[in-house]
Amino acid sequence: MMLAADLFKPFEFEFFRNGVIVATLAGALCGVVGCYVVLRNMSYIGHGLSHAIFGGYAVAGLIGINLFLGAGAWGVITALAIGGIVRRRPIGSDAAIGVVTTASFALGLALVQLYGSPGQNADALLFGNVLGVTFADVWLIVAVSIGAALFIGFGYRQLLFTTFDTEVAKATGVRTGLVDGLLMVLLSATVLATMNVMGVTLIAANLVVPAVVARMLTDSFGRMLGYAGVIGAVSGFVGMNASYHLDVASGPTIVLTAATFFIVAFVAGGSFRRRAGTVAHAH
């Protein structure tokens, strides 16, 4: 039986404390940003950008520029390229995302195979690694979280209109193209900042699952943002602790923790609907 002292023992290590802070903040950040991704039916672009950024990471290492800046710039360019393709050709956004991002991911894998992984093991990038989290990662996620809070706070109404009705937003003077572009920058920064903890292959799940659970719990957009942030933060904290004790990569444990919230919300929601239906039938 695990004692309380055993539960808190990993907090003696600096790398673990850094990992918990980053995972908790990353969960909250992904949860909030994920609300816009889910409500705009853009779930696949979160998955695609995470893979595209891996390609950018490999390219940046190959040409010798800063890995984070290079990967982030690659992510933004990828997002803008997808938008440009959709506007210029009769191709659906899901198809454009699939072509551009998978090609970028394949390029990254090929470069890693040929020249080795820049900076750290490729498996750690793909699946997350608590041992790779540094104090610099803490400051990076704090900075991105502050940026996200300012962007959402000052642009709340514009984001709300653009998310639910783009045509109405345009008619009321909202620069939807600029809003979309800034949202892509934020999404790219979120993926980049959480890559060490979540891993490339699982970042999309951290963007989508907390937001989906929050959507199941409320019809209020404001409450959805709050719920998703809390669910993501708790998933990050609990998942990071579980990853240490189970000796499993941090990314999978965080996603499985979030998936547990989904199962509970789904089952509880179904039970509530059945009870409500029974009461209504009785009356």
Side-chain angles (χ1 to χ4, degrees), residues 220-242:
S220 166
F221 181 65
R223 285 197 294 270
M224 180 182 173
L225 290 175
Y227 290 167
V230 171
I231 292 167
V234 173
S235 297
F237 181 85
V238 174
M240 181 58 73
N241 280 275

Side-chain angles (χ1 to χ4, degrees), residues 193-272:
T194 58
M195 190 158 47
N196 270 352
V197 172
M198 291 302 303
V200 168
T201 58
L202 294 170
I203 290 174
N206 212 36
L207 282 165
V208 173
V209 178
V212 169
V213 175
R215 182 65 185 87
M216 294 167 67
L217 297 176
T218 181
D219 291 327
S220 166
F221 181 65
R223 285 197 294 270
M224 180 182 173
L225 290 175
Y227 290 167
V230 171
I231 292 167
V234 173
S235 297
F237 181 85
V238 174
M240 181 58 73
N241 280 275
S243 73
Y244 179 89
H245 294 290
L246 297 175
D247 194 23
V248 178
S250 52
T253 54
I254 292 171
V255 172
L256 289 173
T257 304
T260 302
F261 278 106
F262 174 81
I263 293 170
V264 171
F266 182 81
V267 173
S271 300
F272 176 79

Side-chain angles (χ1 to χ4, degrees), residues 49-145:
L49 275 181
S50 63
H51 284 67
I53 282 178
F54 178 78
Y57 190 85
V59 171
L62 179 63
I63 63 179
I65 64 174
N66 182 277
L67 296 177
F68 286 105
L69 292 178
W74 189 279
V76 174
I77 291 170
T78 300
L80 295 177
I82 292 168
I85 291 172
V86 172
R87 284 193 298 271
R88 289 174 174 78
R89 292 288 185 272
I91 300 173
S93 59
D94 56 341
I97 291 168
V99 171
V100 175
T101 60
T102 53
S104 180
F105 185 56
L107 174 63
L109 289 175
L111 291 175
V112 168
Q113 182 73 32
L114 290 171
Y115 302 104
S117 178
Q120 58 178 294
N121 183 273
D123 288 342
L125 285 174
L126 292 173
F127 302 108
N129 180 22
V130 63
L131 296 176
V133 178
T134 65
F135 196 63
D137 293 312
V138 175
W139 283 110
L140 177 62
I141 194 69
V142 168
V144 175
S145 298

